[in-house]
Amino acid sequence: EHIRSCLFVLLLLVYLFTIGGNMLIFLVIRLDAALHKPMYHFVSVLSFLELWYTATTIPKMLANLLSEKKTISFAGCLLQTYFFHSLGASECYLLTAMAYDRYLAICRPLHYPSIMTTALCVKMAAGCWTCGFLCPISEVILVSQLPFCNYNEIPHIFCDFPPLLSLACKDTSTNVLVDFAVNAFIILITFLFIMASYGRIIGAVLKIKTAAGRRKAFSTCASHLIVVLIFFGSIIFMYVRLKKSYSLTLDRTLAVVYSVLTPLANPIIYSLRNKELIQAIKRTFFKKVEKASPTHH
C-alpha cells in the first residue's frame, strides 16, 4: 500500500512536470517571433505530440495505482492501444522530419531557406500526424476480431498489442507477423533515415574550420540525437521482434522508458541545451511579469 502511494506521487509529479515542460516549450515557441523558424516549429509540434502521447497512458496508470479494482473495457483498451501506437508512429516520423531539417540546415545552408519554407514545415508536420494515425489501423482491426479466453488480466502497465495477443484463445501468428511488419517498417526505416542524416551532418560539421562553429553545430544536433537514441533504443527492443513470448519485467521497464521518461526528457533536453529557447522563455515571462507589476516614477 505504501509503495503504491509512493509510486502514485512519483508518477503524478513526473506527469505534471512533463505537461508543464512541454506546454511551456509549445507556448514560448508559438508566442516568440524570434523562434518562428523551421527547427523550433518541429520542436513545438513534438512538445504538443508528447502532451497527447502521455495523456493516453499516464492518467489511467495513476487511476490504477489508486484503485483496488483495475478495470478497462475492451473498447477502451483497443482505443488506448490505437492512440498510443498512432502517436508513437507520428513521433517516429516527426523525429525523422527534424533530422532532415538539421541535415538541410548544416549540409546545404545556402539552399536551406528556399527549401525549408513555412509551407513545407506545415505539410511535413501534417504528413507525420496523418501517416502516424493510419499506421496501426490494420493491427487494431485484427486484434478486435480475436476471441479472448475467460482469463482477461492484462500482464502490463497499459494496453498494448503484445499483452493483448497473449490473452487470445486462438493462434495469433498472423497478428504477430503483421505487428512485426508494420513496426519494423515504421521504426527501422525512420531510424535508418535519421542515422543517415546524422552521418552526413557529422561529416559536414567536422569540415567546419572554427572550433566555435563546430560546437554550435554539434550542440543543436546533440539534443535531438539524445532524444532519438532514448526513444528508438527502447521501442526497437520492444516492437521489432517476431516471438510471442516476452519477459514481463523487461517489457514493463521499457514501457516506462518510452511512455514516461522520453516525454519527460524532451523538455529538459531541448530547453536546457538551447540558449535561444532559454532566452525566449525569459523574454516571454519577464515581459508578462513587467506588464503585470505597476511602475513607479
Side-chain angles (χ1 to χ4, degrees), residues 157-275:
I157 52 174
F158 53 81
C159 286
D160 201 354
F161 291 123
L164 271 174
L165 295 185
S166 69
L167 299 178
C169 286
K170 67 174 246 193
D171 177 46
T172 57
S173 50
T174 309
N175 300 69
V176 173
L177 200 62
V178 171
D179 284 1
F180 175 77
V182 172
N183 293 323
F185 177 78
I186 300 166
I187 297 167
L188 296 180
I189 287 187
T190 52
F191 186 64
L192 288 172
F193 190 91
I194 292 169
M195 288 299 114
S197 299
Y198 273 96
R200 291 275 188 83
I201 288 167
I202 290 164
V205 169
L206 293 174
K207 287 178 191 160
I208 295 172
K209 300 282 187 286
T210 62
R214 277 200 299 272
R215 253 201 314 276
K216 187 173 185 291
F218 263 131
S219 71
T220 56
C221 297
S223 51
H224 181 221
L225 204 50
I226 292 165
V227 171
V228 165
L229 292 174
I230 296 171
F231 181 69
F232 277 94
S234 53
I235 62 171
I236 285 171
F237 276 113
M238 182 73 185
Y239 295 110
V240 185
R241 57 186 181 194
L242 262 171
K243 61 181 194 292
K244 188 180 157 182
S245 58
Y246 50 93
S247 154
L248 213 58
T249 317
L250 178 67
D251 278 12
R252 284 175 174 170
T253 310
L254 289 174
V256 169
V257 172
Y258 60 80
S259 67
V260 179
L261 297 184
T262 313
L264 169 72
N266 282 2
I268 301 170
I269 290 167
Y270 278 115
S271 53
L272 294 184
R273 289 190 60 90
N274 194 308
K275 290 194 184 104

Side-chain angles (χ1 to χ4, degrees), residues 37-43 93-109 111-113 115-118 120-121 124 193-194 197-198 201 220-221 224 270:
K37 300 171 186 172
M39 180 174 95
Y40 293 110
H41 165 74
F42 288 123
V43 171
Y93 292 127
L94 192 59
L95 290 170
T96 311
M98 290 167 84
Y100 178 64
D101 170 65
R102 291 298 80 213
Y103 158 73
L104 284 179
I106 290 166
C107 299
R108 300 182 62 187
H111 299 112
Y112 180 68
I115 299 173
M116 196 53 78
T117 57
T118 309
L120 182 65
C121 282
M124 282 173 80
F193 190 91
I194 292 169
S197 299
Y198 273 96
I201 288 167
T220 56
C221 297
H224 181 221
Y270 278 115

Side-chain angles (χ1 to χ4, degrees), residues 18 32 52 78 97 134 143 153 186 225 252 268 283:
T18 304
D32 197 302
W52 295 103
L78 273 184
L134 290 173
V143 169
E153 192 174 311
I186 300 166
L225 204 50
R252 284 175 174 170
I268 301 170
R283 274 199 303 275

